[in-house]
Amino acid sequence: MDALADLFPNLYLGFSVALSLENLLYCFIGVFVGTAIGVLPGIGPLAAIAMLLPLTFKLNPVAALIMLSGIYYGTKYGGSTTAIMLKLPGESASVVTCLDGYEMAKQGRAGPALGMAAVASFIAGSIGTVLIGMFGPPLAEVALLFGAPEYFSLMLFSLIGAAVLVHGSMLKALGMIALGLLIGIVGTDVNTGMSRFTFGVTGISDGISFVVIAMGLFGFAEIVSNLEQSSLSRDLLFQKVKNLWPSWTDFKQCWNPMMRGTVLGAFFGILPGAGPTIASFSAYTLEKKVSKNQAQFGKGAIEGVASPEAANNSASQCEFIPTLALGIPGSATMALILGALTIQGIAPGPQVMTQRPDLFWGLIASMWIGNLMLLILNLPLIGLWVKLLTVPYRLLFPAIMVFMAIGVFSVNNNPLDIHLALLFGVLGYIFIKLQCEPAPLILAVVLGPLMEENLRRALLISRGDASVFLSRPISAGFLIATLLLLAIMIVPAVRKKREQVHEESAQF
Amino acid sequence: MKIKSQEDFWAGLMFVFFGVFAIVVARDYPMGSALRMGPGYFPTYLGVIMIIIGAIMTVRACRVEGGKIGRWGWRPLLWLSVAFAAFGLLIDEAGFVLALLALIIASSLAGRDTRPVELMFLIAVLITGSVALFIYGLELPYQLFPWS
């Protein structure tokens, strides 16, 4: 109950931070850029945040975090615009929005579809913000009790979660995780001072920056893959969008699906390794099952837009709960945001909430403000974003290359990083060709050194006895949950369902 | 033996390769014991895990039907690599502007339908924009030209 009693003074603190002119400005820049990134297909939030990281070096930590988070949840709004207008997901979390959103647009109802997507995102985002405020602090209190065994088991749970829920083969994802952990420990070993896997290159004795890896795997490789496709033609059928505001009947029809989407989104957001894309798929599948007008799904049902859009936004908001409360990122994007905090000199973890309440509550307040800005940005200004879609890719990708090169270089001002990014870019392209999803890898890169350190400490405390992971209840809980996840995947029925869901998504 | 899934077959071999690589390199690092893990302990076990995963995948690829590897986009891969490499090689000696120029020109060669006039325009906009934003706005300490 303490948490609830403190909620209002804390929110007051948060709003006083977030409403400062400077933070409002960075929040706006963040959500504006985020919407643009979301609208443009072929560039995702991960590459965008990595690219724009240098812009935050000069900022204070609060402003930096507000802006980067704004980019992230902003993409979820922008992604739906492209999905509805072009049947192309501007961003992976809006893949399912294509199904009914585009159908609605074909029937001349692009306006209500776009409007409903924005409204659903806003309502879900607002609820998500409240959830972070309610569940973040108590979770951080629990996390303060965590020792090395708990952290190790939690990270294992995160990684296995990422492997189970990722697109494509689970075995490949597990391999990618092992490879990521290995890349993560490149550099000087903290315990012995020994250089590992550096091959005498001094530039990587502090490890390979995750910005470099993210930019290679998600930026460079993605552009190569986009360019090899013969045509990136975009048929913009509907230049004019009318009647954005959904009718009252639309709204009533969507209320329950929206709420269900929000709850599912929150669940998948908190679950490490899952995130917005899975959330939107699950929400759509659920609505298709429970809806009264099932026949309409796939033919322009407005619930088929509202529910997944609510789910992906609530998930992207709730992903911040474990990230901020435990200091353990649940997804690759969250790993980048935590990395940005580290660059700012703030060690992520449960202590952040008590030591820097301005940071935590300022971020939460800014998220709500950001969602409001996004609603305004996306409804009256929709025409601007639709215009953005007419910019051809041949003009876009050189600009992305420029931003990536400068972004990579500015992290350490070392040209070596550019060449490393190139190396990871080529590797990333091979991954794409072999259908190996890189997201679990980058999560593992960040967790690699932490995992090794906590494993080492746990075994030191227990005198080399591995049963320590099972004798401590919280750690055992995470391990049992991990085993359950793996076990569920082996059950044939679930595996079939998973493959089916991923096949549906693969059609886009 | 026939490969039924090219994707999985090569992905499996890739993991085996990385696993062997990890173990071979980590041989130079002390293993230690579970009680006192040495620097070689964690990478060696990661290598073992990767080899197991890769081996299962490769064997399964000979039994279960799966995807073919599509055509490789050599042209974009080559030119975008040149673009990054040129930027990396030029930025310290030749300065920000020339490094960007090389980057943009090489990038544009990766595309199929580059138009000269458009390219000139793009170069002008991107370079002035980057200089304004990064050098003057964010005050990143890079020299603009070789002579500056």
Side-chain angles (χ1 to χ4, degrees), chain A residues 401-452:
Chain A
M401 288 289 286
V402 166
F403 264 91
M404 285 202 309
I406 299 173
V408 168
F409 185 64
S410 65
V411 178
N412 294 315
N413 294 340
N414 186 349
L416 175 73
D417 283 344
I418 303 276
H419 302 298
L420 282 173
L422 171 56
L423 190 76
F424 278 100
V426 175
L427 193 61
Y429 183 57
I430 296 174
F431 289 158
I432 292 177
K433 285 284 155 193
L434 299 177
Q435 298 281 318
C436 294
E437 175 64 43
L441 181 138
I442 197 138
L443 183 60
V445 168
V446 177
L447 293 182
L450 291 171
M451 241 180 136
E452 183 188 24

Short mmCIF file of all heavy atoms in Angstrom, two decimals, chain A residues 401-452:
data_model
loop_
_atom_site.label_atom_id
_atom_site.label_comp_id
_atom_site.label_asym_id
_atom_site.label_seq_id
_atom_site.Cartn_x
_atom_site.Cartn_y
_atom_site.Cartn_z
N MET A 401 22.71 5.71 -44.02
CA MET A 401 24.14 5.35 -43.95
C MET A 401 24.95 6.46 -43.28
O MET A 401 25.83 6.20 -42.46
CB MET A 401 24.69 5.08 -45.36
CG MET A 401 24.21 3.80 -46.00
SD MET A 401 24.89 2.31 -45.24
CE MET A 401 26.58 2.33 -45.87
N VAL A 402 24.65 7.71 -43.66
CA VAL A 402 25.37 8.85 -43.07
C VAL A 402 25.16 8.89 -41.56
O VAL A 402 26.11 8.96 -40.77
CB VAL A 402 24.90 10.17 -43.72
CG1 VAL A 402 25.36 11.37 -42.90
CG2 VAL A 402 25.41 10.28 -45.15
N PHE A 403 23.91 8.79 -41.14
CA PHE A 403 23.61 8.82 -39.70
C PHE A 403 24.28 7.66 -38.97
O PHE A 403 24.80 7.81 -37.87
CB PHE A 403 22.11 8.77 -39.47
CG PHE A 403 21.51 10.12 -39.29
CD1 PHE A 403 21.02 10.83 -40.37
CD2 PHE A 403 21.44 10.70 -38.02
CE1 PHE A 403 20.48 12.09 -40.21
CE2 PHE A 403 20.90 11.95 -37.86
CZ PHE A 403 20.42 12.65 -38.96
N MET A 404 24.28 6.49 -39.60
CA MET A 404 24.87 5.33 -38.94
C MET A 404 26.37 5.51 -38.77
O MET A 404 26.92 5.27 -37.70
CB MET A 404 24.61 4.06 -39.76
CG MET A 404 23.20 3.57 -39.65
SD MET A 404 23.05 1.83 -40.05
CE MET A 404 23.87 1.77 -41.60
N ALA A 405 27.03 5.96 -39.85
CA ALA A 405 28.49 6.11 -39.79
C ALA A 405 28.87 7.11 -38.71
O ALA A 405 29.74 6.84 -37.87
CB ALA A 405 29.02 6.55 -41.16
N ILE A 406 28.18 8.25 -38.70
CA ILE A 406 28.52 9.26 -37.69
C ILE A 406 28.18 8.73 -36.29
O ILE A 406 28.94 8.91 -35.34
CB ILE A 406 27.78 10.58 -37.97
CG1 ILE A 406 28.20 11.13 -39.34
CG2 ILE A 406 28.09 11.61 -36.89
CD1 ILE A 406 27.41 12.34 -39.79
N GLY A 407 27.05 8.05 -36.18
CA GLY A 407 26.65 7.50 -34.88
C GLY A 407 27.67 6.52 -34.33
O GLY A 407 28.06 6.60 -33.17
N VAL A 408 28.13 5.61 -35.18
CA VAL A 408 29.12 4.62 -34.73
C VAL A 408 30.42 5.32 -34.34
O VAL A 408 30.99 5.07 -33.28
CB VAL A 408 29.40 3.59 -35.86
CG1 VAL A 408 30.62 2.76 -35.52
CG2 VAL A 408 28.20 2.71 -36.07
N PHE A 409 30.85 6.23 -35.21
CA PHE A 409 32.14 6.87 -34.98
C PHE A 409 32.14 7.71 -33.70
O PHE A 409 33.11 7.72 -32.95
CB PHE A 409 32.49 7.75 -36.19
CG PHE A 409 33.85 8.37 -36.10
CD1 PHE A 409 34.98 7.57 -36.09
CD2 PHE A 409 34.00 9.75 -36.01
CE1 PHE A 409 36.25 8.14 -36.01
CE2 PHE A 409 35.26 10.32 -35.92
CZ PHE A 409 36.38 9.52 -35.92
N SER A 410 31.03 8.37 -33.42
CA SER A 410 31.01 9.31 -32.31
C SER A 410 31.04 8.63 -30.94
O SER A 410 31.29 9.29 -29.94
CB SER A 410 29.78 10.21 -32.41
OG SER A 410 28.63 9.43 -32.26
N VAL A 411 30.81 7.33 -30.88
CA VAL A 411 30.82 6.67 -29.57
C VAL A 411 32.21 6.73 -28.94
O VAL A 411 32.37 7.10 -27.78
CB VAL A 411 30.34 5.21 -29.68
CG1 VAL A 411 30.40 4.53 -28.33
CG2 VAL A 411 28.92 5.17 -30.21
N ASN A 412 33.23 6.36 -29.71
CA ASN A 412 34.60 6.39 -29.18
C ASN A 412 35.54 7.26 -30.00
O ASN A 412 36.73 7.33 -29.70
CB ASN A 412 35.19 4.97 -29.15
CG ASN A 412 34.46 4.08 -28.19
OD1 ASN A 412 34.18 4.49 -27.06
ND2 ASN A 412 34.13 2.88 -28.62
N ASN A 413 35.04 7.89 -31.04
CA ASN A 413 35.87 8.63 -32.00
C ASN A 413 37.00 7.76 -32.53
O ASN A 413 38.13 8.22 -32.70
CB ASN A 413 36.46 9.89 -31.35
CG ASN A 413 35.38 10.88 -31.01
OD1 ASN A 413 34.27 10.81 -31.56
ND2 ASN A 413 35.68 11.79 -30.11
N ASN A 414 36.70 6.50 -32.77
CA ASN A 414 37.72 5.58 -33.24
C ASN A 414 37.26 4.94 -34.56
O ASN A 414 36.22 4.29 -34.60
CB ASN A 414 37.93 4.50 -32.18
CG ASN A 414 39.09 3.58 -32.52
OD1 ASN A 414 39.61 3.60 -33.63
ND2 ASN A 414 39.48 2.77 -31.56
N PRO A 415 38.04 5.16 -35.64
CA PRO A 415 37.64 4.60 -36.95
C PRO A 415 37.49 3.08 -36.92
O PRO A 415 36.75 2.52 -37.72
CB PRO A 415 38.79 4.99 -37.89
CG PRO A 415 39.54 6.06 -37.19
CD PRO A 415 39.30 5.91 -35.72
N LEU A 416 38.18 2.43 -35.99
CA LEU A 416 38.08 0.98 -35.88
C LEU A 416 36.62 0.55 -35.72
O LEU A 416 36.19 -0.47 -36.26
CB LEU A 416 38.89 0.50 -34.67
CG LEU A 416 38.78 -1.00 -34.37
CD1 LEU A 416 39.53 -1.81 -35.38
CD2 LEU A 416 39.26 -1.31 -32.96
N ASP A 417 35.84 1.35 -34.98
CA ASP A 417 34.43 1.01 -34.75
C ASP A 417 33.64 0.92 -36.04
O ASP A 417 32.72 0.13 -36.17
CB ASP A 417 33.78 2.03 -33.81
CG ASP A 417 34.19 1.79 -32.36
OD1 ASP A 417 34.70 0.69 -32.07
OD2 ASP A 417 34.00 2.68 -31.53
N ILE A 418 34.00 1.78 -37.02
CA ILE A 418 33.31 1.75 -38.32
C ILE A 418 33.57 0.41 -39.00
O ILE A 418 32.67 -0.24 -39.52
CB ILE A 418 33.84 2.87 -39.24
CG1 ILE A 418 33.67 4.23 -38.58
CG2 ILE A 418 33.18 2.81 -40.60
CD1 ILE A 418 32.33 4.83 -38.75
N HIS A 419 34.84 -0.02 -38.94
CA HIS A 419 35.18 -1.28 -39.60
C HIS A 419 34.54 -2.47 -38.88
O HIS A 419 34.13 -3.44 -39.50
CB HIS A 419 36.70 -1.42 -39.70
CG HIS A 419 37.33 -0.29 -40.45
ND1 HIS A 419 37.04 -0.04 -41.77
CD2 HIS A 419 38.17 0.69 -40.07
CE1 HIS A 419 37.70 1.04 -42.17
NE2 HIS A 419 38.39 1.50 -41.14
N LEU A 420 34.46 -2.36 -37.56
CA LEU A 420 33.79 -3.43 -36.80
C LEU A 420 32.30 -3.47 -37.15
O LEU A 420 31.72 -4.54 -37.31
CB LEU A 420 33.93 -3.19 -35.30
CG LEU A 420 35.27 -3.56 -34.67
CD1 LEU A 420 35.32 -3.12 -33.22
CD2 LEU A 420 35.50 -5.06 -34.77
N ALA A 421 31.69 -2.29 -37.28
CA ALA A 421 30.27 -2.24 -37.64
C ALA A 421 30.06 -2.88 -39.00
O ALA A 421 29.08 -3.60 -39.23
CB ALA A 421 29.77 -0.79 -37.65
N LEU A 422 31.01 -2.64 -39.91
CA LEU A 422 30.95 -3.25 -41.23
C LEU A 422 31.01 -4.78 -41.13
O LEU A 422 30.22 -5.50 -41.75
CB LEU A 422 32.11 -2.71 -42.08
CG LEU A 422 32.37 -3.36 -43.43
CD1 LEU A 422 31.14 -3.34 -44.29
CD2 LEU A 422 33.52 -2.65 -44.14
N LEU A 423 31.94 -5.25 -40.27
CA LEU A 423 32.08 -6.68 -40.05
C LEU A 423 30.76 -7.28 -39.54
O LEU A 423 30.28 -8.30 -40.04
CB LEU A 423 33.19 -6.91 -39.01
CG LEU A 423 33.65 -8.33 -38.80
CD1 LEU A 423 34.54 -8.75 -39.95
CD2 LEU A 423 34.40 -8.46 -37.48
N PHE A 424 30.16 -6.61 -38.56
CA PHE A 424 28.89 -7.11 -38.03
C PHE A 424 27.77 -6.96 -39.05
O PHE A 424 26.81 -7.73 -39.04
CB PHE A 424 28.54 -6.40 -36.72
CG PHE A 424 29.24 -7.00 -35.54
CD1 PHE A 424 30.37 -6.40 -35.02
CD2 PHE A 424 28.79 -8.19 -34.99
CE1 PHE A 424 31.04 -6.97 -33.96
CE2 PHE A 424 29.46 -8.76 -33.93
CZ PHE A 424 30.58 -8.15 -33.41
N GLY A 425 27.90 -5.96 -39.92
CA GLY A 425 26.91 -5.79 -40.97
C GLY A 425 26.91 -6.98 -41.92
O GLY A 425 25.86 -7.53 -42.27
N VAL A 426 28.11 -7.39 -42.32
CA VAL A 426 28.23 -8.54 -43.22
C VAL A 426 27.72 -9.80 -42.51
O VAL A 426 26.95 -10.60 -43.07
CB VAL A 426 29.69 -8.72 -43.69
CG1 VAL A 426 29.83 -9.98 -44.53
CG2 VAL A 426 30.13 -7.50 -44.49
N LEU A 427 28.12 -9.95 -41.25
CA LEU A 427 27.65 -11.09 -40.46
C LEU A 427 26.12 -11.06 -40.37
O LEU A 427 25.45 -12.09 -40.52
CB LEU A 427 28.27 -11.01 -39.06
CG LEU A 427 28.17 -12.24 -38.18
CD1 LEU A 427 28.87 -13.42 -38.82
CD2 LEU A 427 28.75 -11.96 -36.80
N GLY A 428 25.58 -9.86 -40.15
CA GLY A 428 24.13 -9.70 -40.04
C GLY A 428 23.42 -10.10 -41.32
O GLY A 428 22.34 -10.68 -41.30
N TYR A 429 24.05 -9.78 -42.46
CA TYR A 429 23.46 -10.14 -43.74
C TYR A 429 23.45 -11.66 -43.90
O TYR A 429 22.47 -12.24 -44.38
CB TYR A 429 24.24 -9.47 -44.88
CG TYR A 429 23.66 -9.71 -46.24
CD1 TYR A 429 22.35 -9.36 -46.52
CD2 TYR A 429 24.41 -10.30 -47.25
CE1 TYR A 429 21.80 -9.59 -47.77
CE2 TYR A 429 23.88 -10.53 -48.51
CZ TYR A 429 22.57 -10.18 -48.75
OH TYR A 429 22.03 -10.41 -49.98
N ILE A 430 24.53 -12.31 -43.45
CA ILE A 430 24.56 -13.77 -43.48
C ILE A 430 23.44 -14.32 -42.58
O ILE A 430 22.72 -15.24 -42.94
CB ILE A 430 25.94 -14.30 -43.01
CG1 ILE A 430 27.02 -13.85 -44.00
CG2 ILE A 430 25.92 -15.82 -42.88
CD1 ILE A 430 28.43 -14.18 -43.58
N PHE A 431 23.26 -13.70 -41.42
CA PHE A 431 22.18 -14.13 -40.52
C PHE A 431 20.82 -14.03 -41.22
O PHE A 431 19.98 -14.91 -41.11
CB PHE A 431 22.13 -13.26 -39.26
CG PHE A 431 23.27 -13.50 -38.31
CD1 PHE A 431 23.63 -12.53 -37.38
CD2 PHE A 431 23.97 -14.69 -38.33
CE1 PHE A 431 24.67 -12.73 -36.50
CE2 PHE A 431 25.02 -14.91 -37.45
CZ PHE A 431 25.37 -13.92 -36.53
N ILE A 432 20.60 -12.93 -41.93
CA ILE A 432 19.32 -12.76 -42.63
C ILE A 432 19.13 -13.88 -43.64
O ILE A 432 18.07 -14.49 -43.74
CB ILE A 432 19.25 -11.39 -43.33
CG1 ILE A 432 19.19 -10.26 -42.29
CG2 ILE A 432 18.03 -11.31 -44.27
CD1 ILE A 432 19.19 -8.86 -42.89
N LYS A 433 20.22 -14.17 -44.38
CA LYS A 433 20.14 -15.21 -45.40
C LYS A 433 19.88 -16.59 -44.79
O LYS A 433 19.24 -17.43 -45.39
CB LYS A 433 21.45 -15.25 -46.20
CG LYS A 433 21.58 -14.11 -47.17
CD LYS A 433 20.70 -14.36 -48.36
CE LYS A 433 20.32 -13.07 -49.03
NZ LYS A 433 19.25 -13.20 -49.97
N LEU A 434 20.42 -16.81 -43.60
CA LEU A 434 20.24 -18.12 -42.95
C LEU A 434 19.03 -18.12 -42.02
O LEU A 434 18.83 -19.04 -41.26
CB LEU A 434 21.50 -18.49 -42.17
CG LEU A 434 22.79 -18.64 -42.98
CD1 LEU A 434 23.96 -18.95 -42.09
CD2 LEU A 434 22.62 -19.73 -44.04
N GLN A 435 18.24 -17.06 -42.09
CA GLN A 435 17.04 -16.95 -41.27
C GLN A 435 17.35 -17.04 -39.77
O GLN A 435 16.64 -17.69 -39.02
CB GLN A 435 16.02 -18.03 -41.63
CG GLN A 435 15.51 -17.95 -43.05
CD GLN A 435 14.46 -16.89 -43.22
OE1 GLN A 435 13.58 -16.75 -42.38
NE2 GLN A 435 14.54 -16.12 -44.27
N CYS A 436 18.45 -16.42 -39.36
CA CYS A 436 18.77 -16.37 -37.93
C CYS A 436 18.42 -14.98 -37.41
O CYS A 436 19.05 -13.99 -37.80
CB CYS A 436 20.25 -16.64 -37.69
SG CYS A 436 20.76 -18.30 -38.11
N GLU A 437 17.42 -14.91 -36.57
CA GLU A 437 16.95 -13.62 -36.04
C GLU A 437 18.00 -13.02 -35.09
O GLU A 437 18.42 -13.67 -34.13
CB GLU A 437 15.64 -13.88 -35.30
CG GLU A 437 15.04 -12.72 -34.58
CD GLU A 437 14.63 -11.61 -35.51
OE1 GLU A 437 14.05 -11.89 -36.58
OE2 GLU A 437 14.92 -10.46 -35.16
N PRO A 438 18.49 -11.79 -35.37
CA PRO A 438 19.58 -11.26 -34.55
C PRO A 438 19.18 -10.65 -33.20
O PRO A 438 20.05 -10.39 -32.38
CB PRO A 438 20.20 -10.18 -35.45
CG PRO A 438 19.11 -9.78 -36.37
CD PRO A 438 18.19 -10.94 -36.53
N ALA A 439 17.88 -10.43 -32.95
CA ALA A 439 17.50 -9.75 -31.70
C ALA A 439 17.97 -10.48 -30.44
O ALA A 439 18.51 -9.85 -29.54
CB ALA A 439 15.99 -9.51 -31.67
N PRO A 440 17.82 -11.83 -30.35
CA PRO A 440 18.31 -12.48 -29.13
C PRO A 440 19.82 -12.33 -28.96
O PRO A 440 20.31 -12.24 -27.84
CB PRO A 440 17.94 -13.95 -29.32
CG PRO A 440 16.92 -13.98 -30.39
CD PRO A 440 17.15 -12.78 -31.24
N LEU A 441 20.54 -12.28 -30.09
CA LEU A 441 21.99 -12.16 -30.01
C LEU A 441 22.39 -10.87 -29.31
O LEU A 441 23.22 -10.86 -28.42
CB LEU A 441 22.60 -12.21 -31.41
CG LEU A 441 24.13 -12.11 -31.47
CD1 LEU A 441 24.68 -13.08 -32.49
CD2 LEU A 441 24.62 -10.72 -31.80
N ILE A 442 21.75 -9.78 -29.70
CA ILE A 442 22.19 -8.50 -29.14
C ILE A 442 21.80 -8.39 -27.67
O ILE A 442 22.53 -7.82 -26.86
CB ILE A 442 21.67 -7.31 -29.98
CG1 ILE A 442 22.48 -6.07 -29.65
CG2 ILE A 442 20.22 -7.05 -29.80
CD1 ILE A 442 22.84 -5.27 -30.83
N LEU A 443 20.69 -9.00 -27.31
CA LEU A 443 20.34 -9.04 -25.89
C LEU A 443 21.41 -9.81 -25.12
O LEU A 443 21.85 -9.40 -24.04
CB LEU A 443 18.97 -9.72 -25.73
CG LEU A 443 18.40 -9.81 -24.32
CD1 LEU A 443 18.20 -8.45 -23.72
CD2 LEU A 443 17.08 -10.57 -24.34
N ALA A 444 21.87 -10.91 -25.70
CA ALA A 444 22.89 -11.73 -25.05
C ALA A 444 24.22 -10.99 -24.96
O ALA A 444 24.96 -11.16 -23.99
CB ALA A 444 23.07 -13.05 -25.81
N VAL A 445 24.52 -10.15 -25.97
CA VAL A 445 25.78 -9.39 -25.92
C VAL A 445 25.82 -8.53 -24.67
O VAL A 445 26.82 -8.45 -23.97
CB VAL A 445 25.91 -8.49 -27.18
CG1 VAL A 445 27.05 -7.51 -27.00
CG2 VAL A 445 26.15 -9.34 -28.41
N VAL A 446 24.68 -7.89 -24.38
CA VAL A 446 24.63 -7.02 -23.21
C VAL A 446 24.67 -7.84 -21.93
O VAL A 446 25.32 -7.46 -20.95
CB VAL A 446 23.35 -6.15 -23.25
CG1 VAL A 446 23.25 -5.29 -22.01
CG2 VAL A 446 23.35 -5.30 -24.49
N LEU A 447 24.00 -8.98 -21.94
CA LEU A 447 23.93 -9.78 -20.71
C LEU A 447 25.18 -10.63 -20.49
O LEU A 447 25.43 -11.06 -19.37
CB LEU A 447 22.69 -10.67 -20.74
CG LEU A 447 21.35 -9.94 -20.69
CD1 LEU A 447 20.20 -10.93 -20.68
CD2 LEU A 447 21.26 -9.04 -19.47
N GLY A 448 25.98 -10.87 -21.55
CA GLY A 448 27.14 -11.76 -21.46
C GLY A 448 28.05 -11.52 -20.27
O GLY A 448 28.20 -12.38 -19.40
N PRO A 449 28.64 -10.32 -20.18
CA PRO A 449 29.56 -10.09 -19.07
C PRO A 449 28.86 -10.15 -17.70
O PRO A 449 29.44 -10.65 -16.74
CB PRO A 449 30.11 -8.68 -19.33
CG PRO A 449 29.36 -8.12 -20.47
CD PRO A 449 28.58 -9.20 -21.13
N LEU A 450 27.61 -9.67 -17.64
CA LEU A 450 26.86 -9.70 -16.38
C LEU A 450 26.61 -11.13 -15.95
O LEU A 450 26.71 -11.48 -14.77
CB LEU A 450 25.51 -9.00 -16.54
CG LEU A 450 25.52 -7.51 -16.75
CD1 LEU A 450 24.12 -7.02 -17.12
CD2 LEU A 450 26.00 -6.83 -15.48
N MET A 451 26.27 -11.96 -16.94
CA MET A 451 25.96 -13.35 -16.63
C MET A 451 27.19 -14.08 -16.13
O MET A 451 27.13 -14.81 -15.14
CB MET A 451 25.45 -14.03 -17.88
CG MET A 451 24.06 -14.54 -17.73
SD MET A 451 23.56 -15.32 -19.23
CE MET A 451 22.80 -16.77 -18.54
N GLU A 452 28.30 -13.87 -16.81
CA GLU A 452 29.52 -14.55 -16.39
C GLU A 452 29.90 -14.13 -14.98
O GLU A 452 30.20 -14.95 -14.12
CB GLU A 452 30.68 -14.23 -17.35
CG GLU A 452 31.93 -14.99 -16.98
CD GLU A 452 33.15 -14.55 -17.79
OE1 GLU A 452 33.16 -13.42 -18.29
OE2 GLU A 452 34.08 -15.35 -17.91
#
